[in-house]
Amino acid sequence: MTSGDGSERQIEGRLLVVDDEPNIRELLSASLRYAGFDVITAADGRDAVQLAERTRPDLVVLDVMLPDLDGFAVINRLRSAGRRVPVVFLTARDATEDKIAGLGLADDYVTKPFSLEEMLARIRAVLRRTRGEHLSPARLQVADLEMDEESHQVWRAGKPVRLSPTEFKLLHYFMLNAGRVLSKAQILDHVWNYDFGGDRNVVESYVSYLRRKIDTVDPRLIHTLRGVGYVLRAPRT
């Protein structure tokens, strides 16, 4: 399968992203394309139903609150037409979560504000479950650093490394982008919430925490490029 821009790179699957907030829709679609998905977008429920029928996505990322049909109505219309497409709902932190769980309409849901890394992990997990297969190995590896995405275990040189949830998310982002320089702004967007308004020094602090746990042996993997950002890089052979 080719990507939506016509290139021949392999893609993980086709996603339909439905949200009436342009910033969220654009941020999600760009991030998911970068992660290797073909992405179609819709801003309201009626367009979502039509696009789902026409393009046959592998999964729908669907906001519950839409200006015309809400997310529940969208799913009911698709299923009444015989389309059993996996769904990850986007919802605010309120009683809607209980409604989603109670109705059993969604395969999973993510509350706003959300981490892009969390969203990506949820999408891949749902696709693995619904396809009955693994899209890609659940274990990431850079040099002798290994991470199991599903069990949240990390090893360096074969020895287990205990990480806090935020340290794990930061390392996961580094490993997904091994060899690529990441700015503080990018790290804040992906590891913390996309609308995080805190002090960027939190990135320096958590990179320091990671180094104390990950870079305790040679070769050092986490590098700082002053004035630019950070990179997780395997040593050149």
Side-chain angles (χ1 to χ4, degrees):
M1 186 182 294
T2 58
S3 63
D5 60 10
S7 65
E8 294 298 322
R9 65 183 175 85
Q10 193 71 20
I11 66 168
E12 291 194 25
R14 174 174 292 134
L15 307 180
L16 172 58
V17 173
V18 187
D19 199 298
D20 62 319
E21 296 183 50
N23 290 342
I24 293 178
R25 192 170 63 247
E26 290 164 13
L27 174 69
L28 260 180
S29 60
S31 298
L32 292 171
R33 286 186 185 106
Y34 183 81
F37 291 95
D38 187 18
V39 182
I40 307 126
T41 62
D44 60 54
R46 287 186 173 81
D47 279 351
V49 172
Q50 292 174 3
L51 281 169
E53 289 290 345
R54 191 166 68 243
T55 64
R56 302 291 172 133
D58 298 302
L59 181 143
V60 180
V61 178
L62 180 61
D63 189 17
V64 171
M65 300 302 294
L66 294 169
D68 50 0
L69 301 175
D70 66 19
F72 304 128
V74 170
I75 292 308
N76 284 328
R77 287 200 181 188
L78 290 175
R79 291 182 180 170
S80 65
R83 289 285 294 136
R84 178 59 181 89
V85 59
V87 179
V88 175
F89 269 131
L90 292 175
T91 178
R93 295 179 188 273
D94 59 20
T96 306
E97 297 177 29
D98 297 329
K99 186 176 181 182
I100 292 171
L103 291 175
L105 288 175
D107 297 272
D108 205 345
Y109 65 89
V110 177
T111 55
K112 297 179 181 180
F114 56 86
S115 156
L116 290 167
E117 288 306 303
E118 177 192 11
M119 174 63 77
L120 184 58
R122 297 288 185 94
I123 287 170
R124 284 178 166 148
V126 169
L127 285 173
R128 280 194 291 268
R129 289 199 306 268
T130 55
R131 288 173 169 174
E133 63 185 31
H134 288 275
L135 293 172
S136 58
R139 187 168 292 200
L140 300 174
Q141 183 166 359
V142 177
D144 60 355
L145 176 64
E146 297 177 83
M147 170 183 285
D148 189 300
E149 296 177 281
E150 295 185 344
S151 68
H152 278 219
Q153 292 177 289
V154 175
W155 301 266
R156 179 76 204 266
K159 296 181 180 179
V161 179
R162 294 180 63 86
L163 300 178
S164 71
T166 301
E167 290 166 349
F168 183 89
K169 287 166 67 176
L170 176 57
L171 181 61
H172 186 240
Y173 185 48
F174 275 135
M175 293 185 76
L176 286 175
N177 293 278
R180 178 185 173 209
V181 178
L182 302 171
S183 69
K184 287 183 182 180
Q186 287 174 310
I187 294 170
L188 282 173
D189 282 347
H190 288 78
V191 178
W192 284 265
N193 294 331
Y194 64 92
D195 61 350
F196 180 82
D199 188 345
R200 292 189 179 190
N201 288 335
V202 70
V203 175
E204 293 179 13
S205 297
Y206 272 89
V207 169
S208 177
Y209 301 155
L210 263 188
R211 281 182 166 138
R212 291 175 201 163
K213 296 182 177 183
I214 298 300
D215 279 345
T216 56
V217 297
D218 289 327
R220 301 293 190 264
L221 299 177
I222 302 173
H223 304 274
T224 302
L225 280 72
R226 295 197 179 278
V228 182
Y230 302 94
V231 60
L232 179 74
R233 183 171 56 221
R236 294 184 176 87
T237 57

